[in-house]
Amino acid sequence: MGTPFISLLEPSKLEDYDRTKPHDQQPGPVAKAFLDAMAVREAVFVDEQRMPLEYEYDEDDPRSCHWVVYASVSHVVELEQVDPATNIIVRPRRSETRTVPIGTMRIVPFPTRPTPSPTAGPRDPARQRDHLHHPFGIDISISSTRSRRPRPRRRRHHPSRCRDPAPYAQDRATTFHDGQEPYLKVGRLAVLPAYRGRHISGQLWTAARRWLETHPRYFDPSVTERGMDALGAEQASEIPRWGGLVCAHAQAAAVKTYGRWGFRVDEVMGHWYEEGVPHVGMFLRLDTKNVPPQV
Ligand SMILES: CC(C)(COP(=O)(O)OP(=O)(O)OC[C@H]1O[C@@H](n2cnc3c(N)ncnc32)[C@H](O)[C@@H]1OP(=O)(O)O)[C@@H](O)C(=O)NCCC(=O)NCCS
């Protein structure tokens, strides 16, 4: 494997993305980097972890930043030919090098879904992936009596920067979150099984972290575009503004990985299940001081 390189996809229009179809059967044009991210997510969450395909893509995807890590992989396209009489190689083996996506991660802007309540058990259908409550008020929950087929989408979705503002509602206070401060959410972290244990995920996080530290105002809502009323603010100090807080809803098996990056488990948030997989909430605060305010 050659040296991996990482690519960033900023919020993009994905309204034609069909969540019932895999990434390589999408009917409309979709950003290549997003298809690559979905290739990894499908391999890891759908094929390996058996999560339903239709839950993999969600309403947060168009408004998120996605990082995709690629590796150059050499594979044999033609075996060598040996003359059986002389045992001499008459045609050498032919290899080709391809660049393939091997890992991905996304950062979801605020507002995010409300903090999950640690009540549902591992088989409770009310804990399917994190599709319960959407900050834009779209009901995409699925009750136990319904099939797992996705509901038709009701609205088209656009990145946070060009859509109507979402409600900046009060959430339940936990150990590291006062219930109100805007935070970004890191998630859909996945590395293909063949590339695990080489700190590929750490490279993804380093890239995302550096980007956040250099673009701390990127996800802040624009008062010019949205207006004070829509942001629920009466004065400038009340405008939602990212202060460096990052949250991860981590699968239990990934807690150590996030811990290495400085995330701490939020004890009050508790644990919950998504598709039978135990999750905990973790938080990290990045230093965004000395960053000029958004104009
Ligand atoms: C979690 C995940 C992203 C970590 O990626 P990674 O690039 O392998 O991360 P690292 O190289 O730092 O290794 C992480 C751990 O896996 C171990 N590991 C080593 N080789 C491994 C392999 N072949 N397969 C699985 N884990 C391996 C490492 O020793 C390390 O263990 P430790 O945390 O006890 O020290 C990856 O395992 C993954 O995609 N898992 C499935 C999806 C998932 O759980 N995502 C997190 C959702 S919150």
Side-chain angles (χ1 to χ4, degrees), residues 12 35 41 62 71 77 107 119 130 132 150-151 157 192 226 257:
S12 56
L35 293 176
R41 283 162 49 173
V77 288
I107 300 278
T119 50
D130 51 356
L132 273 184
R151 292 180 177 186
H157 309 292
L192 294 181
R226 299 182 171 182
T257 297

Side-chain angles (χ1 to χ4, degrees), residues 44-45 49 189-191 193 196-201 249-251 254 256-258 260:
V44 171
F45 297 118
Q49 297 193 346
L189 168 65
V191 172
R196 288 183 194 155
R198 304 185 203 188
H199 302 297
I200 298 290
S201 61
H249 289 182
Q251 293 191 6
K256 206 169 160 190
T257 297
Y258 280 107
R260 270 196 287 270

Side-chain angles (χ1 to χ4, degrees), residues 236-257:
S237 61
E238 292 170 1
I239 297 166
R241 193 165 179 272
W242 186 56
L245 196 60
V246 186
C247 176
H249 289 182
Q251 293 191 6
V255 167
K256 206 169 160 190
T257 297

Side-chain angles (χ1 to χ4, degrees), residues 188-265:
R188 294 299 201 268
L189 168 65
V191 172
L192 294 181
Y195 299 92
R196 288 183 194 155
R198 304 185 203 188
H199 302 297
I200 298 290
S201 61
Q203 292 184 39
L204 277 166
W205 169 244
T206 301
R209 177 184 181 140
R210 282 200 188 124
W211 185 86
L212 287 175
E213 285 168 344
T214 49
H215 301 78
R217 303 274 65 85
Y218 183 85
F219 289 121
D220 288 354
S222 159
V223 181
T224 323
E225 282 175 28
R226 299 182 171 182
M228 297 283 277
D229 282 355
L231 295 175
E234 286 180 3
Q235 45 195 330
S237 61
E238 292 170 1
I239 297 166
R241 193 165 179 272
W242 186 56
L245 196 60
V246 186
C247 176
H249 289 182
Q251 293 191 6
V255 167
K256 206 169 160 190
T257 297
Y258 280 107
R260 270 196 287 270
W261 304 341
F263 284 80
R264 293 290 164 259
V265 173

